[in-house]
């Protein structure tokens, strides 16, 4: 893997609020939560907002207990330690594992929920970072195959010595679940930030779009662009969340390419996906990062239900034509439109 001459820092979609919001009869209610190894912020408006926030926080912790790969009693941990036997799981877990298999098929293996043993070997789950030798990676890759995962109505079964992780799906699904709770409680305007996942319900109380800033990976104290959204999810994946510098001076990050077992280094340093479903945006942000510059653009031309903002390792900003009138490039990077029929 080539050495990247790239300064890697935290990169995430962030909520932008105007200095003075338009006055509204609906008051704002906020809730901060730490879960799924990230800080989460929720902001909702209206008389049902406070109740909705409480229910949303409960749901977040419920999903974390089910889906965490590190919690000993979670569904995922029980699946991974079952020695190849079928395990009874919650409806949430069955749905997400099935979704993981489906996205593995749709993205030609770019997203693979069974790559976890390779990720763990690199030390990204423990913080004990090291570069595995080629033989170890080759051995672990023999167990990476999401197509071997079997999902029933309430059971999941994986091959012995395999392991799965829903980290590329869980926060997106959680965002969708929070939106459903808000709607059930009569909330019509809300915004949440779950780490690199931002999701909006409706528009701002004054009827204008929410503005979401996506930070520039080359100058992380500034945004590279701002997108205006309503009723959309905005999910960013990049080489910024967990990374380390090896003894050889190479920077290695946590998004693993299932094809070779190394951090994905296929021309992209950041991928943001914008769409109706937080789950879909979450899955595709990882998959397109792994797929790389050319394959990601091909996918986006063939799947027009989502939009995307790509940042290449040579400093270009690429975005789909579906958000051409919703995106403001505030960086010095040249911007190119990915045209779709």
């Amino acid at each position: 893997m080539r050495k990247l001459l790239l300064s890697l820092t935290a990169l995430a979609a962030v909520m932008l609020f105007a200095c003075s919001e338009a006055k509204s009869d609906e008051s704002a209610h906020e809730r901060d939560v730490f879960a799924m190894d990230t800080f989460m912020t929720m902001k909702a408006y209206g008389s049902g907002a406070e109740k909705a926030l409480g229910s949303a926080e409960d749901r977040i912790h419920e999903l974390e207990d089910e889906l965490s790969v590190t919690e000993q009693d979670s569904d995922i941990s029980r699946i991974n330690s079952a020695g190849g036997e079928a395990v009874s799981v919650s409806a949430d877990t069955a749905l997400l594992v099935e979704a993981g298999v489906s996205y593995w098929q749709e993205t030609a293996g770019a997203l693979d929920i069974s790559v976890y043993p390779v990720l763990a070997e690199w030390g990204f789950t423990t913080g004990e970072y090291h570069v595995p030798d080629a033989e170890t990676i080759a051995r672990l890759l023999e167990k990476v195959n999401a197509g071997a995962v079997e999902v029933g109505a309430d059971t999941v079964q994986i091959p012995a010595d395999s392991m799965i992780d829903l980290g590329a799906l869980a926060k997106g699904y959680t965002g969708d679940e929070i939106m459903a709770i808000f709607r059930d409680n009569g909330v019509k305007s809300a915004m949440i930030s779950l780490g690199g996942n931002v999701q909006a319900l409706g528009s701002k109380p004054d009827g204008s779009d929410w503005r979401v800033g996506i930070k520039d990976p080359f100058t992380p104290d500034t945004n590279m662009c701002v997108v205006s959204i309503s009723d959309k999810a905005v999910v960013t994946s990049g080489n910024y969340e967990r990374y380390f510098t090896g003894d050889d001076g190479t920077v290695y990050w946590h998004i693993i390419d299932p094809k070779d077992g190394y951090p994905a280094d296929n021309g992209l340093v950041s991928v943001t996906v914008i769409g109706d479903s937080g789950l879909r945006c979450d899955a595709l942000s990882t998959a397109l990062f792994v797929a790389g510059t050319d394959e990601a653009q091909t996918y986006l031309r063939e799947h027009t239900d989502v939009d995307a903002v790509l940042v290449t390792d040579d400093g270009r900003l690429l975005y789909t034509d579906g958000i051409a009138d919703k995106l403001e490039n505030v960086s010095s990077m040249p911007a190119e439109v990915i045209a779709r029929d």
Side-chain angles (χ1 to χ4, degrees):
M1 190 174 92
R2 69 180 187 277
K3 185 182 298 183
L4 297 183
L5 302 177
L6 177 67
S7 174
L8 301 179
T9 55
L11 167 66
V14 295
M15 292 180 284
L16 297 180
F17 295 101
C19 294
S20 58
E21 291 183 345
K23 292 183 178 180
S24 169
D25 293 335
E26 296 186 333
S27 57
H29 300 258
E30 298 185 54
R31 186 74 59 96
D32 295 328
V33 180
F34 183 80
M36 301 182 180
D37 200 30
T38 193
F39 288 100
M40 302 181 175
T41 299
M42 299 182 287
K43 187 171 187 177
Y45 294 81
S47 58
E50 192 62 31
K51 179 183 176 182
L53 289 171
S55 297
E57 182 173 357
D58 291 342
R59 184 64 169 137
I60 289 170
H61 291 304
E62 178 184 27
L63 290 171
E64 181 178 34
D65 290 342
E66 294 173 350
L67 305 174
S68 172
V69 72
T70 56
E71 291 289 337
Q72 185 176 357
D73 296 326
S74 72
D75 285 352
I76 303 306
S77 290
R78 291 189 299 107
I79 293 167
N80 288 342
S81 61
E85 298 295 322
V87 175
S88 296
V89 298
S90 69
D92 297 311
T93 301
L95 184 154
L96 280 186
V97 173
E98 185 174 21
V101 175
S102 177
Y103 280 112
W104 171 78
Q105 296 170 332
E106 181 178 328
T107 63
L111 179 71
D112 195 319
I113 61 174
S114 69
V115 78
Y116 181 75
V118 183
L119 181 74
E121 181 63 31
W122 280 87
F124 287 112
T125 61
T126 63
E128 299 177 1
Y129 305 123
H130 73 285
V131 179
D133 60 69
E135 291 183 1
T136 299
I137 291 178
R139 174 176 54 80
L140 292 173
L141 283 175
E142 293 177 359
K143 300 294 183 179
V144 176
N145 178 16
V149 177
E150 298 182 14
V151 187
D154 58 359
T155 61
V156 174
Q157 184 174 12
I158 64 175
D161 299 326
S162 294
M163 300 179 77
I164 62 171
D165 173 28
L166 302 179
L169 306 170
K171 285 194 295 182
Y173 179 67
T174 299
D176 291 337
E177 290 293 287
I178 294 171
M179 294 294 111
I181 290 171
F182 285 170
R183 293 188 186 96
D184 289 345
N185 283 273
V187 175
K188 297 181 180 179
S189 179
M191 173 72 87
I192 63 173
S193 176
L194 315 180
N197 297 41
V198 172
Q199 198 156 349
L201 174 62
S203 303
K204 293 171 68 174
D206 64 4
S208 63
D209 285 342
W210 300 96
R211 286 168 56 80
V212 179
I214 305 172
K215 289 193 174 182
D216 187 333
F218 305 108
T219 54
D221 291 336
T222 61
N223 292 320
M224 65 180 182
C225 64
V226 179
V227 291
S228 299
I229 63 166
S230 176
D231 263 331
K232 297 288 184 183
V234 180
V235 181
T236 299
S237 290
N239 52 11
Y240 56 88
E241 292 178 330
R242 293 188 299 277
Y243 59 89
F244 70 95
T245 302
D247 294 338
D248 59 357
T250 300
V251 175
Y252 300 94
W253 47 86
H254 77 291
I255 303 177
I256 300 297
D257 189 336
K259 293 180 180 179
D260 63 14
Y262 285 85
D265 185 19
N266 300 316
L268 295 175
V269 295
S270 174
V271 172
T272 299
V273 180
I274 303 163
D276 297 331
S277 164
L279 170 58
R280 183 160 176 77
C281 291
D282 207 2
L284 292 180
S285 67
T286 299
L288 297 183
F289 185 99
V290 171
T293 309
D294 294 336
E295 290 187 18
Q297 291 182 82
T298 297
Y299 179 93
L300 291 166
R301 290 188 179 98
E302 296 173 351
H303 298 80
T304 58
D305 62 309
V306 295
D307 284 290
V309 181
L310 314 178
V311 182
T312 65
D313 57 13
D314 60 355
R316 292 177 295 133
L317 191 156
L318 314 176
Y319 61 94
T320 51
D321 53 8
I323 55 169
D325 61 344
K326 296 289 186 178
L327 182 143
E328 179 185 1
N329 179 16
V330 296
S331 75
S332 60
M333 285 186 283
E336 304 171 26
V337 176
I338 302 171
R340 302 183 291 190
D341 295 332

